[in-house]
Amino acid sequence: MEWRKLLGEDRIRSYKVRGNAGDLRTEFEKDYHRIIGSASFRRLQDKTQVFPLDRSDFIRTRLTHSLEVSSLAKSLGQNIGRKILHEIGDEGFLDSYQADVCDILQCAGLLHDIGNPPFGHFGETVIREWFRKNLGGIFYKGESLDRLLLPQMKGDLLHFEGNTQALRLVTKLHYLVDEHGMNLTKGLLGTIIKYPVSSLGIQEDSGDIKNKKMGYFYAERDIFSDLQESLGTYGARHPLAFVLEAADDIAYLTADIEDAFKKGCITFGQLAQELKEYGRRMEGEGTPKGELEEYYAMAGALDERFRKAVGRCVAQPENHAVQNWIVRVQGQLIACATDGFSRNYRKIMEGSCQESLLDSTYGRLMAGALGDIAYRYAFLSKPILRLEIAAETILNFLLGKLVDAVIYYDTNQKPNEIQEKVIALISDNYKAIYRIYSEGKDEVEKLYLRLLLVTDSICGMTDSYAKSLYQELNGMG
């Protein structure tokens, strides 16, 4: 792959700038302003990161998480650009590309969760499970959807992903000027595709990170092909997708621990003890001594910060220690991800790198520890489990109502009064996009696009809106 093509400034719909000679922004800087000015980005302020419908002003939302990922991604871009220029020495990477890399990654961080449904990753699970349970029992003109839909169409619903929805949203659903969505640069679009395979190409156990999930829907197959051709990736991950993923990993791994501590899901003592026990477990698994030493040094900094806080008579030494330790861990993981990119540079540019940037560094141990601790203390905590049960009830109800309403939408069969009312609740923009992209399509593809109209509607909802809509439709008003 060549950086000249990977950092492509062209857009799916080209446009001419008229009479605005004072606009000195690069194309990637224009992307940034399109994103932060969008309603889709603003909705992230009322979407879950970990704790659904939380009233605390401290706990992270998808918006604050996305801002953190954006910041970390830009920092990583600065480090990696400098490495390429001064250590790796790739002649195809020009000095001016360093700023472009930073701008693309900053934008990609803002976009990476923009397609997520309400209630966090659990919302994705509910959507997948709903279609898994119900596709065989829903009929269109006497035949079940399970049999009618093409394999990739069905796979899109059974493996539904917020990451995949993000590509659909920014290239179509966000009605800025026309049906091309935000019409962002191709270099940015390539960066947000973490998994450059369709739902038929998923191979969770292949050992290759790019095949773990799907990256585009059947509906966006032409856009995906265009990007592959323009960027020269041809089925490989865009190199900056590795960097975006690392920034996301660093942000959520550290933030989940901090939020869990603030919510009282884990105490300072438990966190310190869990870090030690994870290290001992890794010793038992034969982890190299050098990696363990780096891990223990990073983990031990938590106690060190607590002692310093006590010595300085800080009012809440445990809180102070955790917050400061999180910042230190982020800095070290950024250094590890930078090293991982540099170490795997040739494989990344060849398209043969199969692991994340942290996997080949000592940072993998801390990443593993933080993920394990957050899962057990936050994601399995009773408050989260109660809220997830409520979220499942809400989303299952809304999916049932919406799918029933759209099955015969835009056909000769007249909907009943309830179906008409439900259809009226769907965004006029989304319905307009459906009409544009369904024109000239066969009956099965139109049906598939109507089912995506449902997932589009669900993903466009905030946590609060989904909850209030459920209550209104159930007469709880």
Side-chain angles (χ1 to χ4, degrees), residues 5 10 186 222-235:
K5 296 182 74 173
D10 52 326
K186 292 183 180 180
D222 292 340
I223 289 174
F224 179 77
S225 295
D226 181 350
L227 291 172
Q228 297 288 289
E229 180 70 32
S230 298
L231 301 172
T233 45
Y234 302 113

Side-chain angles (χ1 to χ4, degrees), residues 258-304:
E258 187 177 9
D259 285 356
F261 174 76
K262 287 284 186 179
K263 287 287 290 182
C265 298
I266 187 170
T267 66
F268 177 88
Q270 287 172 324
L271 176 57
Q273 186 60 32
E274 287 286 354
L275 290 167
K276 292 184 182 78
E277 287 182 7
Y278 188 87
R280 286 195 287 269
R281 204 153 70 239
M282 292 300 102
E283 279 185 56
E285 293 183 12
T287 302
K289 184 180 178 182
E291 283 189 41
L292 284 167
E293 287 175 351
E294 296 282 4
Y295 171 80
Y296 281 126
M298 215 188 308
L302 178 61
D303 286 326
E304 176 191 323

Side-chain angles (χ1 to χ4, degrees), residues 49-262:
Q49 177 59 20
V50 177
F51 297 92
L53 300 169
D54 193 271
R55 292 188 176 91
S56 167
D57 60 1
F58 173 84
I59 301 303
R60 289 167 173 85
T61 64
R62 285 282 169 196
L63 179 64
T64 49
H65 168 68
S66 296
L67 291 169
E68 289 172 343
V69 173
S70 176
S71 175
L72 290 169
K74 184 173 183 178
S75 295
L76 275 167
Q78 290 169 332
N79 289 1
I80 286 166
R82 199 173 299 121
K83 281 265 189 186
I84 298 172
L85 285 171
H86 302 297
E87 294 182 29
I88 295 170
D90 184 339
E91 293 180 359
F93 191 88
L94 308 180
D95 285 0
S96 62
Y97 290 171
Q98 184 168 5
D100 292 340
V101 163
C102 290
D103 288 339
I104 289 173
L105 287 168
Q106 185 178 32
C107 291
L110 298 178
L111 287 177
H112 83 285
D113 275 348
I114 206 166
N116 278 35
F119 311 119
H121 289 299
F122 185 70
E124 295 171 290
T125 301
V126 174
I127 292 171
R128 289 192 288 263
E129 287 304 311
W130 192 90
F131 281 110
R132 199 175 302 279
K133 290 175 185 174
N134 291 285
L135 268 186
I138 302 171
F139 292 84
Y140 177 75
K141 295 186 176 180
E143 195 160 2
S144 76
L145 302 195
D146 192 41
R147 297 184 54 140
L148 264 177
L149 297 176
L150 297 179
Q152 188 178 341
M153 295 175 179
K154 191 164 68 171
D156 290 352
L157 301 172
L158 301 182
H159 299 281
F160 183 83
E161 276 294 324
N163 283 323
T164 309
Q165 182 70 15
L167 180 67
R168 176 168 170 77
L169 189 152
V170 300
T171 57
K172 290 181 179 176
L173 300 181
H174 177 83
Y175 208 97
L176 181 67
V177 175
D178 55 23
E179 70 274 17
H180 295 291
M182 294 185 191
N183 196 34
L184 302 170
T185 56
K186 292 183 180 180
L188 173 55
L189 293 176
T191 299
I192 66 171
I193 300 175
K194 289 174 68 174
Y195 309 103
V197 296
S198 73
S199 55
L200 299 180
I202 298 171
Q203 300 176 50
E204 293 180 19
D205 302 321
S206 71
D208 190 338
I209 199 165
K210 76 172 187 180
N211 300 327
K212 280 176 61 179
K213 300 175 183 178
M214 67 170 170
Y216 65 96
F217 292 124
Y218 179 82
E220 280 70 64
R221 62 197 183 280
D222 292 340
I223 289 174
F224 179 77
S225 295
D226 181 350
L227 291 172
Q228 297 288 289
E229 180 70 32
S230 298
L231 301 172
T233 45
Y234 302 113
R237 251 190 176 191
H238 192 295
L240 297 186
F242 286 93
V243 185
L244 174 62
E245 178 182 54
D248 186 22
D249 289 347
I250 294 167
Y252 83 75
L253 287 168
T254 53
D256 290 355
I257 293 294
E258 187 177 9
D259 285 356
F261 174 76
K262 287 284 186 179

